[in-house]
Amino acid sequence: MDKKKISKIGVLTSGGDSPGMNAAIRAVVRTGNYYGLEVFGIVRGYSGMLDNDIRRLHNRDVANIIQRGGTFLKTARCKEFYEPEGRAIAYENLKRHGIDGLVIIGGDGSFKGAQKFSAEYDIPCIGLPGTIDKDIAGSDVTIGFDTAVNTAVEAIDKIRDTMDAHDRLFIVEVMGRDAGYIALHSGIATGAENILIPETETDIEALITSLTEKERRKKLVNLVVVAEGDKFGGAEEIAKIIRQRIPTADTRVCILGHIQRGGSPTCSDRLIASHMGYYAVESLLVGRNNVMVGVVNNKMHYTPLGKAVKEKQKIGQEWMKIVKILAS
Ligand code: F6P
């Protein structure tokens, strides 16, 4: 580890927001100030680095935000930062403030940028996994996933009330980009009859057979939870086929969308964000660089940013067997 003395650090949130990002910023700011560092907030992710939208943050600036969704530093997806010219401007702006360490709270796109930046310049970068998708390797948890999945569960429970009253078949689409974690967790927790995720090939014939069989034995209330990234298609696609093949089923679609990204973070998300925020600053102080702080088996764990992005988390196939057994 390269032990360069750090005195000024920057913190930013980048990519899609996730509940708990504010709690993570707060932890970084207060831990940094505790250790006598100057902490700077970078507004709108990497865009703020390019526009020099950087401001000093004191402990009072992060008061009363731990319970808020979104991110008070705002966030963006910044294309210019993927170009060497963009990163050069960002570096000059950071140097202008004397910033010599960075904490990036975001998902895989944000880490790809950080990885390039830390390879080119002498500013160490520490990543914190802030994403509702849980699509990052090297951590059992990501900041925001627990809140998002609980939001999905609450919404699906409500859908169940009305679908049960009308004996309907519902296809609910949840977020997750290319990952099926939100679908798997929210589907199991709401007793979904079928869960379709990108990690497992969707067998449309098997789905039709299972729903037809349920229709035959007058099990008319059926819930299908589909991940937006499922390779077969989203909820509308699936519903179209079901309507053609099982016209007797009273089929409806609900796409939950961005409500999954908002809202007050759960206790679990606030805790992991606080914990990771603290360890991000500790990491910079002991000379770590180009790693993501994660939690594996309840212990802090450090993964090179490149590995975190490339490997993704694996979904155990046993879960799909459990879904089938429990839905019978
Ligand atoms: O990565 C978080 C996420 O909410 C994904 O689940 C989703 O695919 C995407 O961001 C939506 O992005 P946007 O808010 O830009 O539409």
Side-chain angles (χ1 to χ4, degrees):
M1 270 180 276
D2 174 22
K3 275 211 171 187
K4 198 176 91 179
K5 187 148 174 23
I6 303 279
S7 59
K8 299 184 183 186
I9 63 171
V11 57
L12 60 107
T13 47
S14 164
D17 63 312
S18 66
M21 280 184 160
N22 279 326
I25 299 167
R26 172 181 176 270
V28 170
V29 171
R30 293 194 170 170
T31 308
N33 286 332
Y34 171 81
Y35 283 116
L37 305 176
E38 282 182 42
V39 185
F40 292 82
I42 301 165
V43 181
R44 293 188 330 283
Y46 295 123
S47 306
M49 273 164 71
L50 272 93
D51 303 343
N52 197 21
D53 199 350
I54 299 172
R55 59 169 195 255
R56 183 77 204 278
L57 291 177
H58 300 276
N59 283 357
R60 288 305 99 210
D61 297 319
V62 290
N64 202 19
I65 63 167
I66 193 169
Q67 76 281 21
R68 301 219 172 110
T71 157
F72 96 113
L73 282 178
K74 301 201 176 282
T75 186
R77 295 190 174 103
C78 174
K79 287 202 186 80
E80 293 91 323
F81 195 74
Y82 292 96
E83 303 302 325
E85 298 76 23
R87 292 194 293 277
I89 298 170
Y91 178 73
E92 286 313 314
N93 285 332
L94 293 180
K95 280 287 138 187
R96 207 177 288 183
H97 295 274
I99 292 172
D100 43 21
L102 272 182
V103 178
I104 298 104
I105 308 165
D108 60 353
S110 316
F111 291 171
K112 278 179 197 149
Q115 203 195 349
K116 286 197 175 126
F117 188 74
S118 67
E120 289 165 350
Y121 298 105
D122 58 349
I123 298 184
C125 293
I126 303 293
L128 297 188
T131 166
I132 64 165
D133 302 334
K134 207 162 106 79
D135 57 349
I136 302 257
S139 186
D140 297 339
V141 288
T142 62
I143 299 165
F145 173 75
D146 187 61
T147 310
V149 92
N150 275 293
T151 301
V153 165
E154 205 183 317
I156 298 171
D157 282 347
K158 288 180 176 151
I159 290 170
R160 245 202 201 280
D161 289 344
T162 169
M163 70 189 264
D164 186 62
H166 286 266
D167 284 338
R168 276 179 172 156
L169 191 165
F170 251 90
I171 325 287
V172 179
E173 181 181 306
V174 296
M175 275 188 168
R177 202 180 292 273
D178 299 325
Y181 273 99
I182 300 179
L184 183 70
H185 286 227
S186 65
I188 290 172
T190 54
E193 274 72 19
N194 290 278
I195 302 173
L196 313 179
I197 55 174
E199 291 81 355
T200 332
E201 200 181 328
T202 291
D203 182 346
I204 196 75
E205 286 310 319
L207 176 70
I208 299 290
T209 308
S210 116
L211 292 173
T212 312
E213 191 271 328
K214 287 187 172 102
E215 276 272 306
R216 195 183 47 71
R217 60 179 163 97
K218 296 275 174 272
K219 186 181 184 307
L220 303 175
V221 182
N222 281 296
L223 170 65
V224 180
V225 175
V226 56
E228 64 174 355
D230 188 73
K231 301 202 177 61
F232 191 85
E236 293 289 3
E237 210 50 43
I238 303 285
K240 205 168 120 195
I241 295 170
I242 292 176
R243 285 188 183 117
Q244 281 164 1
R245 301 280 301 275
I246 322 175
T248 46
D250 192 6
T251 306
R252 293 288 187 280
V253 165
C254 179
I255 298 172
L256 293 187
H258 285 80
I259 62 160
Q260 294 160 98
R261 282 241 296 265
S264 181
T266 58
C267 175
S268 168
D269 273 331
R270 295 182 204 191
L271 283 180
I272 61 163
S274 303
H275 207 180
M276 287 177 176
Y278 167 85
Y279 274 99
V281 177
E282 287 264 326
S283 295
L284 285 172
L285 289 172
V286 300
R288 288 197 175 90
N289 181 17
N290 193 23
V291 292
M292 180 193 81
V293 176
V295 178
V296 173
N297 295 332
N298 284 324
K299 290 209 175 69
M300 297 322 279
H301 185 86
Y302 303 94
T303 308
L305 289 174
K307 196 167 184 243
V309 167
K310 222 183 280 157
E311 293 192 354
K312 309 281 178 201
Q313 289 189 25
K314 308 263 181 310
I315 287 187
Q317 286 308 304
E318 200 186 21
W319 273 119
M320 299 318 277
K321 182 179 169 192
I322 294 173
V323 171
K324 267 212 185 88
I325 293 172
L326 300 189
S328 52

